[in-house]
Amino acid sequence: MPVRNFVSDSGNLNSYFGVPDGPSFGVYLRDIGFHKTSPCHNFGPAVRDYWLIHVIKSGKGWFMKSGVKTTLSAGDCFIIRPMEVTTYCSDETDPWQYYWLGFQGEYAAKLAAYALPDNISYAKVGGETLNSLESLYRKFSLRNGGDPPEFNAGMFDFLAKLKNSVSPVQKSAPDVVDEAVKYIENNYFRAVSITAIADMLGVTRTYFTTNFTQKKGVSPYAYLTDYRIKKAKSLLLDSDLRISEIAYSVGFSGVERFSDMFRRHVGVSPTEYRLKKQDE
């Protein structure tokens, strides 16, 4: 079966191989490529309908998911899941070069869970992982492809090496906390989970909670709740919204839950708080 080859950005050694669908494989290679990017080259915000892994060979850039921007460089990889909105951009002075590999199929999610523990979005990888992907890419470029089973064998070798070498990119504690605070304050009205925030930041929940609590003096959950109550107090005083509308506007799933948490933090119910402040 032939593959399609597209070359862009003349002189930058960029190529992409789109692999035709194989005969009902549970998982199969979707595409593979290499890009020597120009300064500030960006892609997104966009989604893919398949799994996509980039491994950075040199240079640096940033990767954004759920509003959180993370700087990555040589030896890092970043992972894009199906239908996940992401953006990434090369550095202005030291643009990155990266290889990528995409895969899909009925068992793609299980394979990804095997190779990429803890739902990480980016990680450090070993030299063998980069070498495996680079070797697979060069095989395609020299031979202009091959049969789907051969494509898959190379993909499985790469993912096995990825599993054995990957380690989460642990940011410094201040970076993690500052990004988490920014995320909470921009998304407090949504269904926010502490585990989801940790996953988004690419760190374990324990690491995230420990460092957040040390810096802010309260747990991430307490900070989120306090911020919601603060916003609720403002709406109670400065708007004519009903209590139920305020509850949903600040991220609570129901009026009873909101009223209970408000009373715990403020000492009176939302209605009593509004009336008391109006009488002052």
Side-chain angles (χ1 to χ4, degrees):
M1 295 174 112
V3 297
R4 303 181 303 279
N5 175 228
F6 303 89
V7 180
S8 60
D9 293 345
S10 178
N12 277 353
L13 303 178
N14 307 316
S15 56
Y16 158 75
F17 294 86
V19 182
D21 294 353
S24 65
F25 288 111
V27 182
Y28 58 90
L29 182 61
R30 167 69 179 265
D31 63 30
I32 186 169
F34 170 74
H35 196 177
K36 180 180 179 181
T37 65
S38 55
C40 299
H41 172 84
N42 73 293
F43 189 92
V47 299
R48 308 300 208 299
D49 62 356
Y50 59 98
W51 292 82
L52 185 61
I53 302 173
H54 291 71
V55 179
I56 303 167
K57 180 179 181 180
S58 63
K60 59 186 178 181
W62 55 261
F63 171 73
M64 179 181 288
K65 171 187 169 185
S66 300
V68 176
K69 183 188 294 186
T70 304
T71 300
L72 300 173
S73 57
D76 294 334
C77 75
F78 57 93
I79 300 98
I80 299 174
R81 291 167 171 77
M83 307 313 295
E84 184 174 72
V85 180
T86 60
T87 306
Y88 47 97
C89 180
S90 64
D91 187 69
E92 182 178 4
T93 59
D94 186 17
W96 50 19
Q97 299 182 38
Y98 50 63
Y99 291 92
W100 77 82
L101 177 148
F103 62 95
Q104 63 186 157
E106 182 182 358
Y107 300 111
K110 289 184 178 180
L111 180 62
Y114 162 82
L116 303 166
D118 299 327
N119 291 321
I120 59 176
S121 293
Y122 42 85
K124 291 286 185 185
V125 297
E128 285 191 358
T129 303
L130 174 61
N131 292 340
S132 174
L133 183 53
E134 187 172 16
S135 175
L136 181 59
Y137 166 79
R138 292 189 182 282
K139 182 183 295 185
F140 275 80
S141 62
L142 290 172
R143 297 176 51 190
N144 200 34
D147 332 294
E150 184 181 14
F151 301 161
N152 287 352
M155 176 185 68
F156 292 143
D157 177 73
F158 163 69
L159 291 173
K161 286 184 169 59
L162 180 64
K163 173 180 172 59
N164 291 330
S165 72
V166 70
S167 60
V169 177
Q170 292 288 333
K171 302 180 187 179
S172 66
D175 287 342
V176 168
V177 174
D178 290 345
E179 289 186 13
V181 167
K182 186 185 301 182
Y183 181 83
I184 288 172
E185 293 182 355
N186 288 331
N187 295 276
Y188 66 91
F189 52 88
R190 305 181 192 276
V192 176
S193 96
I194 304 308
T195 298
I197 295 176
D199 288 344
M200 178 190 64
L201 294 171
V203 297
T204 65
R205 177 174 176 139
T206 299
Y207 178 89
F208 169 54
T209 301
T210 299
N211 285 286
F212 191 102
T213 304
Q214 287 176 347
K215 182 171 182 179
K216 305 303 289 186
V218 294
S219 70
Y221 176 76
Y223 187 91
L224 171 62
T225 302
D226 289 344
Y227 195 79
R228 284 172 167 168
I229 296 298
K230 174 184 174 182
K231 289 295 183 180
K233 290 167 70 175
S234 178
L235 289 173
L236 285 165
L237 298 182
D238 301 330
S239 77
D240 295 324
L241 293 174
R242 293 177 294 181
I243 302 302
S244 60
E245 293 172 329
I246 292 175
Y248 292 118
S249 296
V250 298
F252 287 94
S253 58
V255 179
E256 291 184 5
R257 174 67 173 166
F258 167 60
S259 296
D260 180 57
M261 294 301 293
F262 193 93
R263 184 181 290 276
R264 290 186 193 182
H265 282 71
V266 184
V268 295
S269 72
T271 301
E272 290 169 334
Y273 178 82
R274 173 177 268 173
L275 294 173
K276 179 180 178 181
K277 291 297 180 179
Q278 288 175 347
D279 293 338
E280 290 180 354

